[in-house]
Amino acid sequence: LKIVILFLYFKSVKKNNMKVPKNDRLEFVKKSSLGHIGLTLLPSMTTKIHASDRLRVAHIGVGGMVNNHLKWFAGLNEVDVVALCDVDELHLAESLKTLENLRPGSNAKGFKDFRRILDRKDIDAITCATPDHWHSQIATLAFQAGKDVYGEKPLSYDVKEGQMMLKAQRKYNRIFQLGTQIHATDNYHRVVEIIQSGAIGKVHTVRLWKTGVPPDLTETKVKPIPKTLDWDMWLGPAPYVDYIPSKCHFTYRYFMDYSGGVFADFWCHIADVVYWAIQPKGLKSISARGEVADGIANTPKWIDVDYEFEDLKLFWTSTPPDVPGAANRGIGAYFEGEKGTLICDYETREITINGERVTDIPEIPKTLQRSPGHQQNFVDSVKSRTPSESNLAYAREMTLPMHLGLISWQLNRKLQWNAEKEKFIGDKEANAMLSRKPRKKWDLT
């Protein structure tokens, strides 16, 4: 087996015209002889982690969420944060100060253009916490540049972008982790174990919800673009509009040109446990209704969506459903099975079988390996070249219904879906909304 591994490795090196230093070959042989390398690690031979085996990470899109990225990754001893990037000079300066406090003496450099990050050969991976409409282009370009990606949710702006990301990730053999940190919690692992054990029987209905409405954004006056902000690049692939502060930075997500509001923001966090536990297949129809946000925002003020799968009905609502235990949860999932029910949110769960309510069923064994932490899992995956917990293929499938729900809401009609072809049935207008042509200047992929 070791001989086969060595043969396949050096064959891959020759095929890809890779120049491998003699010391690297000796190190590989040494590890193989100790039995530390198996066939599952072979894809890593196309990725070069430098001699110290430390992961060199750059953060793209700083301020807000990425400052959490800074803290998470700077807190991992095997990670070096080597660069930061943002189109707003103020955000960049503040984040460099944050990094200096986290890692005194840091030599990380700041950049305005993320392409300068991707050009650097001394960067192994990036995190991306830009506004949503930039997520897919940056990730796809990073894959092409040979870099692994920890990307914030939602995964992409539209359906085509998700398809494009997955194609590039597979072509360039990259690692991806969606920033659904809640996926790493023990509670989600336990919910999945209980559902998959069959304790509540075959699940036929799931109800998801998230309360909350967009802020009332009333500022409509066009303002001068701040000198510290590259507004044109901030807009990037989105249509050009004059600068209105409400459309930028932290409230951008309430405009359809950049995101999908509360629904797009939270869908993946709670749909995640459903897709993990029961893996819905064969989506057939989507029917959404709701109101537009107040003020100048144009994402949903509230949205309810009915999804019909082959053997599952899934409902999303903007208020808790009328089921036991939902009223006091601002976000949640309610599984209805043939034998009982399970309700959960990020941190709690309750199972009801034959009228008896419990928080756990000790007889059901722990079958899922617990996460070392969402960011640590990404680092481990980069080094081992094995899929991460929230890998791209999984994340794209889980994100897809969110995009379709927004299209149904915008058109205000029920839509029929061909899951195999990933197209709406007999609806050209809806199919045209599966993708958006980027502005020519910023169509980089």
Side-chain angles (χ1 to χ4, degrees), residues 140-430:
T140 300
L141 291 168
F143 296 150
Q144 294 173 1
K147 302 188 189 324
D148 301 309
V149 178
Y150 183 103
E152 265 308 316
K153 49 77 190 171
L155 179 71
S156 55
Y157 174 77
D158 59 34
V159 173
K160 183 179 179 180
E161 286 187 347
Q163 295 168 340
M164 175 181 68
M165 289 174 68
L166 184 60
K167 182 178 180 180
Q169 185 245 352
R170 287 172 170 170
K171 178 179 179 179
Y172 296 100
N173 194 27
R174 295 295 93 203
I175 297 297
F176 180 87
Q177 177 89 298
L178 184 67
T180 46
Q181 291 80 24
I182 299 150
H183 188 96
T185 63
D186 182 77
N187 186 52
Y188 269 23
H189 282 72
R190 192 59 181 152
V191 167
V192 172
E193 289 169 339
I194 292 169
I195 295 293
Q196 292 185 349
S197 75
I200 67 169
K202 181 177 175 57
V203 175
H204 54 78
T205 305
V206 175
R207 302 180 189 278
L208 303 177
W209 68 95
K210 172 67 180 76
T211 62
V213 297
D216 187 359
L217 303 174
T218 58
E219 178 68 54
T220 61
K221 187 175 181 180
V222 173
K223 297 287 183 70
I225 300 171
K227 293 181 179 180
T228 59
L229 173 67
D230 186 336
W231 176 238
D232 182 58
M233 191 170 189
W234 188 97
L235 289 170
Y240 188 87
V241 294
D242 291 328
Y243 176 73
I244 297 176
S246 294
K247 292 189 174 184
C248 188
H249 292 334
F250 305 110
T251 50
Y252 75 85
R253 71 175 65 258
Y254 305 110
F255 296 89
M256 292 298 296
D257 278 346
Y258 321 123
S259 186
V262 175
F263 177 55
D265 193 18
F266 285 93
W267 164 270
C268 66
H269 281 313
I270 196 65
D272 183 18
V273 72
V274 179
Y275 269 77
W276 192 3
I278 61 178
Q279 301 160 18
K281 299 293 182 184
L283 179 61
K284 297 192 293 185
S285 68
I286 308 99
S287 181
R289 59 215 162 268
E291 293 181 52
V292 179
D294 296 330
I296 66 171
N298 61 357
T299 56
K301 179 177 182 178
W302 64 269
I303 181 172
D304 292 349
V305 192
D306 303 341
Y307 297 96
E308 183 180 359
F309 293 82
E310 286 180 355
D311 56 356
L312 176 75
K313 291 184 178 180
L314 188 151
F315 303 98
W316 171 280
T317 54
S318 296
T319 56
D322 186 17
V323 297
N328 295 324
R329 288 179 163 91
I331 191 169
Y334 185 82
F335 297 82
E336 299 179 27
E338 296 170 338
K339 300 178 182 178
T341 64
L342 184 151
I343 188 171
C344 71
D345 52 23
Y346 294 164
E347 298 177 350
T348 67
R349 61 185 178 272
E350 187 173 84
I351 309 104
T352 303
I353 300 175
N354 296 326
E356 182 181 357
R357 296 182 183 181
V358 295
T359 58
D360 197 10
I361 305 176
E363 295 78 17
I364 296 175
K366 291 185 176 182
T367 56
L368 298 175
Q369 182 177 351
R370 277 8 185 204
S371 174
H374 210 55
Q375 297 73 36
Q376 183 65 58
N377 172 248
F378 173 68
V379 172
D380 294 344
S381 295
V382 168
K383 290 185 174 183
S384 66
R385 312 313 296 167
T386 56
S388 62
E389 294 168 346
S390 295
N391 61 80
L392 184 50
Y394 169 80
R396 194 191 76 85
E397 185 175 359
M398 181 262 291
T399 301
L400 180 65
M402 179 271 289
H403 291 308
L404 306 185
L406 284 172
I407 293 173
S408 176
W409 174 76
Q410 289 174 283
L411 295 176
N412 192 31
R413 62 174 178 263
K414 185 175 182 178
L415 301 172
Q416 304 298 322
W417 181 249
N418 185 318
E420 183 177 351
K421 295 182 178 180
E422 294 195 351
K423 294 284 186 181
F424 292 109
I425 299 172
D427 198 320
K428 292 182 178 180
E429 186 178 15

